[in-house]
């Protein structure tokens, strides 16, 4: 598939007919972090299924709609539901949402996800601001013919998690009941959780948290020079940290418990961006 500028413009052009403003900030909501969507004022919702050339969410906890509206006085476009390689999408396809948001005019992107804690100083319910990531699994989303309209073939990723936005997020944590850390996220393709040996390897390599999303969107944002902030909600300790099996239910329960304070934290961040 040749992902040309026209390909993404079809989706962006359709979306411009739905919302009567240019969004300033794009937000991607991770697993079970959907309740933040309730904080969006004057929402205009568009089903992914109606957007030309978009993808479809197949995970139950992901709503599958784009919501335009206002949060903390900022015009946002929010993806309630994201796409993962474990759903069967190719890494190359996973560039689509971020490029469409970029064409809509956003000037910053905020990614959120649920993640497993590798750093034994973390606890379920904590938040981690991504300082960097490790991705040794799977292809790059930028593999294939380069879309020159978005960025160069070879591009720097040493500052892809924008230092100013990381500082802003850490500053905004003062006054929040959440414990907020800064750390390194390691991507695993899933859908199985990791093995205890993989988690020991991740810790040895310098990872503080692991998850199955975010890095494809982050790399796409870096390619088109979009300022980026990414936040993990630590929903569980990763495999083998505690002597018990992991479950999707544990992930859902923690995400639900943290949803209120996390929404407040997100609002403080959006107000400050
Ligand atoms: N591993 C990978 N992805 C996750 C986890 C985990 O432990 N928790 C939430 N998403």
């Amino acid at each position: 598939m040749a992902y040309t500028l026209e390909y993404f413009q079809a989706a962006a052009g359709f979306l411009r007919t739905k919302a009567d403003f240019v969004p300033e900030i794009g937000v991607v909501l991770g697993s079970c972090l959907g309740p933040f969507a309730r904080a969006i004022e004057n929402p205009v919702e568009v089903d992914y299924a109606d957007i030309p050339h978009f993808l479809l969410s197949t995970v139950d906890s992901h709503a599958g709609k784009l919501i335009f509206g206002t949060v903390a006085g900022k015009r946002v476009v929010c993806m309630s539901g994201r796409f993962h390689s474990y759903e069967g999408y190719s890494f190359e396809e996973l560039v689509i949402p971020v490029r469409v948001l970029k064409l809509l005019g956003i000037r910053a992107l905020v990614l959120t996800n649920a993640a497993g804690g590798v750093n034994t100083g973390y606890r379920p319910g904590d938040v981690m601001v991504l300082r960097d990531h490790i991705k040794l699994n799977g292809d790059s989303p930028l593999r294939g013919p380069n879309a020159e309209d978005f960025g160069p073939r070879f591009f720097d990723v040493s500052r892809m998690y924008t230092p100013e936005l990381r500082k802003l997020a850490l500053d905004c944590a003062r006054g929040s009941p959440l414990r907020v850390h800064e750390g390194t996220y390691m991507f695993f393709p899933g859908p199985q959780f990791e093995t205890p040996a993989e988690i020991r390897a991740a810790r040895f390599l310098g990872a503080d948290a692991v998850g199955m999303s975010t890095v494809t969107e982050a790399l796409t944002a870096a390619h088109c020079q979009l300022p980026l902030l990414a936040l993990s909600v630590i929903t569980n300790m990763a495999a083998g940290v505690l002597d018990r099996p992991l479950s999707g239910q544990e992930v859902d329960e923690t995400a639900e418990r943290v949803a209120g304070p996390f929404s407040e934290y997100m609002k403080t961040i959006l107000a400050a961006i």
Side-chain angles (χ1 to χ4, degrees):
M1 182 73 218
Y3 291 123
T4 57
L5 182 60
E6 292 70 36
Y7 184 94
F8 305 101
Q9 267 169 344
F14 169 81
L15 289 167
R16 278 189 210 106
T17 68
K18 299 287 165 190
D20 59 358
F21 64 82
V22 175
E24 299 166 86
I25 304 171
V27 180
V28 178
L29 297 178
S31 300
C32 312
L33 302 172
F36 170 78
R38 288 201 287 270
I40 302 175
E41 293 158 43
N42 304 316
V44 175
E45 299 188 355
V46 186
D47 282 337
Y48 292 165
D50 294 333
I51 309 173
H53 296 179
F54 218 64
L55 304 172
L56 291 178
S57 281
T58 66
V59 186
D60 284 349
S61 57
H62 289 251
K65 53 193 179 185
L66 210 56
I67 310 173
F68 292 84
T70 314
V71 179
K74 293 281 157 58
R75 297 185 304 276
V76 301
V77 55
C78 178
M79 283 183 65
S80 185
R82 65 141 57 82
F83 310 106
H84 312 79
S85 66
Y86 67 70
E87 293 174 80
Y89 292 117
S90 69
F91 283 91
E92 289 96 323
E93 281 175 297
L94 294 174
V95 298
I96 294 173
V98 171
R99 286 196 178 158
V100 171
L101 298 189
K102 166 86 178 177
L103 289 181
L104 287 176
I106 61 169
R107 60 178 171 80
L109 179 65
V110 181
L111 304 173
T112 67
N113 63 53
V118 173
N119 184 321
T120 53
Y122 290 7
R123 294 197 295 253
D126 288 359
V127 170
M128 184 183 85
V129 176
L130 273 69
R131 180 194 297 128
D132 203 348
H133 78 230
I134 302 172
K135 179 182 179 299
L136 304 178
N137 278 299
D139 288 329
S140 167
L142 285 313
R143 179 174 177 270
N146 184 47
E148 292 287 333
D149 294 297
F150 288 94
R153 165 84 298 180
F154 301 106
F155 59 104
D156 180 52
V157 290
S158 64
R159 291 166 60 88
M160 63 188 287
Y161 297 97
T162 308
E164 294 76 15
L165 292 179
R166 285 163 32 207
K167 178 172 183 316
L168 179 148
L170 293 172
D171 288 347
C172 287
R174 284 191 221 112
S176 164
L178 297 168
R179 296 199 329 152
V180 180
H181 315 275
E182 193 179 33
T184 298
Y185 176 94
M186 184 159 179
F187 171 79
F188 281 87
Q192 73 284 354
F193 290 117
E194 300 70 29
T195 64
E198 285 167 339
I199 294 304
R200 286 195 300 276
R203 186 178 302 115
F204 182 74
L205 291 175
D208 297 293
V210 289
M212 306 174 193
S213 68
T214 301
V215 297
T216 51
E217 296 140 357
L219 289 166
T220 308
H223 181 247
C224 63
Q225 295 112 44
L226 198 51
L228 173 69
L229 175 68
L231 304 171
S232 293
V233 172
I234 307 298
T235 49
N236 56 283
M237 294 314 291
V241 175
L242 305 176
D243 188 20
R244 58 183 164 87
L246 297 189
S247 72
Q249 193 188 339
E250 182 182 358
V251 171
D252 295 355
E253 282 171 3
T254 308
E256 214 174 293
R257 173 165 67 79
V258 181
F262 186 71
S263 284
E264 289 306 313
Y265 179 47
M266 284 282 290
K267 279 194 235 171
T268 314
I269 290 173
L270 292 178
I273 288 182

